Amino acid sequence: SLDFWKLLYVLLKQIHGGKWTESDAIGAQVSFVKWALWYHGYGRPQLQRLAADGSAGSRELLLAFSWLLHCPGLLQQLLARNRVQTGDGTSVCTCEDEVPESQEGPGEAGPEGSVDVRYLQWLHGRLRLQWCSLHAQHQEQCKLLHKIHLFTSGSHMDQNLGHFSVTEADLIRHPENYKQLLQLLESETMQLEAFLEWKQLEPVYWQWMETVLDDMAEEGKMCESQDAAVEKRRLPEVTSCCPWAAKLAGQMDRLSRDLLALQEQLHQLVAQRKAAWCEKVAAREELQKERFSAAARRAQESAELKLRGLPPLCAAQQSRMHGLCRLVLRNKQPASSMASGQCVAREAAAAASAAEVIRELRLREASLQRELQQLQQQCRTRLDGVAEGLEGVICISP
């Protein structure tokens, strides 16, 4: 069990990008494994009830390990994380984020009261400053990458690339780093070979796990039957040993009958209240039919306005890109293929050009700008309504 806890701890630490050491206490390892499995969606209560010293639970840990292999794709994530990157890559994402709408209306204060507007303005200014600094650093990085790709153009053996990456240029300047890169590539090759061997033996493993699940199900049924038998014979044993147990059992029976009677009365009261509420709701619906129809019309109009901008988005939906792409300079080709690369989530031969990515981002920017204008108009309308209710106050919009 201890070895299994340590194995899961090391693997889950690698997935979450954390560092692990041999000196970590077993209690910390057990708690981290439980938390990580719960975070990934493994909610089996038997695992959470295991002891914190790691002295038991080998079969439960085997089941959790098998779940990690199947659901989150443990081996695939480890191979992708430990992959040696020799090219210049960048993350490309043209997917639309699903931002949940706030339940509170614009301008409403939260339960904790009002917040100082000056503090919010200071936070906004600080965020904009950091964003501008990050953007400037990213632009400088892009300029340096372009210089390296341009100066080494035509030097690469692969004609599809044509230029060196930063790693390859560094290896040319410092050949002593070649041994370290070679070791990393050999380690990655060994991992890929082990993964191929595992894929060949994987059906045998899952057949064995089916037998393990059957045994665990049978043991669970036996434990439930034993617990039920113990509960049934517990009261007679007590009554035979203790002279006052019979009187206590009689009192418990009377309390049980009283509880059943109260439960029946509660059910009747709930049924009566429910019937009364149904009558009130029916009467309220009759009164609010006109208001509901007006709200439905407004919602339909809003949906039609949003649907007007969907045709160009639907046309570009087929070319959604997400993942890591390799930067490749294309000077002698048209602007539609200035950059190409392989996306992790796409096919191996898939390529993304810079012009396509820019066009996707501009469409997304236009959609967000329209949504921002709608929200601003709603805020103005609400502020005008609030200002009308203030007597003797003149509100000047910025």
Side-chain angles (χ1 to χ4, degrees), residues 129-143:
L129 178 63
Q130 294 179 356
W131 179 260
C132 292
S133 176
L134 179 62
H135 185 255
Q137 293 176 7
H138 187 67
Q139 283 185 327
E140 186 67 21
Q141 181 185 8
C142 291
K143 291 179 182 179

Side-chain angles (χ1 to χ4, degrees), residues 5 17 88 112-113 118 126 129 135 171 183 193 205 240 262 342 378 388 394:
W5 281 112
D88 298 326
E112 297 181 358
R118 293 171 296 179
R126 184 178 180 183
L129 178 63
H135 185 255
L171 288 177
Q183 293 176 358
E193 291 176 353
Y205 176 82
S240 62
L262 290 175
Q342 289 183 344
Q378 293 177 5
E388 290 178 357
I394 300 176

Side-chain angles (χ1 to χ4, degrees), residues 335-381:
S336 61
S337 59
M338 287 295 292
S340 63
Q342 289 183 344
C343 290
V344 176
R346 295 167 63 88
E347 299 177 356
S353 66
E356 294 176 357
V357 176
I358 292 173
R359 185 166 56 251
E360 291 282 339
L361 294 177
R362 285 179 176 173
L363 289 173
R364 179 61 178 158
E365 180 187 8
S367 176
L368 292 175
Q369 192 69 26
R370 289 193 300 269
E371 186 175 358
L372 176 61
Q373 292 177 358
Q374 293 178 0
L375 293 175
Q376 289 177 346
Q377 184 62 34
Q378 293 177 5
C379 290
R380 293 191 188 97
T381 305

Side-chain angles (χ1 to χ4, degrees), residues 246-265:
K247 182 178 180 181
L248 183 61
Q251 294 178 357
M252 292 177 64
D253 291 338
R254 286 194 299 271
L255 289 175
S256 298
R257 288 193 297 269
D258 294 340
L259 288 174
L260 290 175
L262 290 175
Q263 185 178 7
E264 184 66 24
Q265 294 178 5

Side-chain angles (χ1 to χ4, degrees), residues 188-226:
E188 183 181 3
T189 303
M190 293 175 59
Q191 293 178 8
L192 292 175
E193 291 176 353
F195 180 73
L196 292 176
E197 185 178 0
W198 155 254
K199 295 302 290 185
Q200 294 177 357
L201 301 177
E202 187 177 9
V204 181
Y205 176 82
W206 291 118
Q207 290 178 2
W208 173 57
M209 281 304 301
E210 290 179 358
T211 60
V212 174
L213 286 174
D214 294 338
D215 294 341
M216 293 181 69
E218 292 179 359
E219 290 182 1
K221 293 180 181 179
M222 292 177 60
C223 292
E224 291 179 357
S225 61
Q226 290 177 0

Side-chain angles (χ1 to χ4, degrees), residues 1-7 26 54-59 61:
S1 298
L2 288 175
D3 294 335
F4 227 136
W5 281 112
K6 293 179 181 178
L7 173 63
I26 186 63
S55 59
S58 59
R59 186 173 292 185
L61 295 175

Side-chain angles (χ1 to χ4, degrees), residues 104 108-115:
E104 297 181 353
E108 293 184 5
E112 297 181 358
S114 60
V115 181

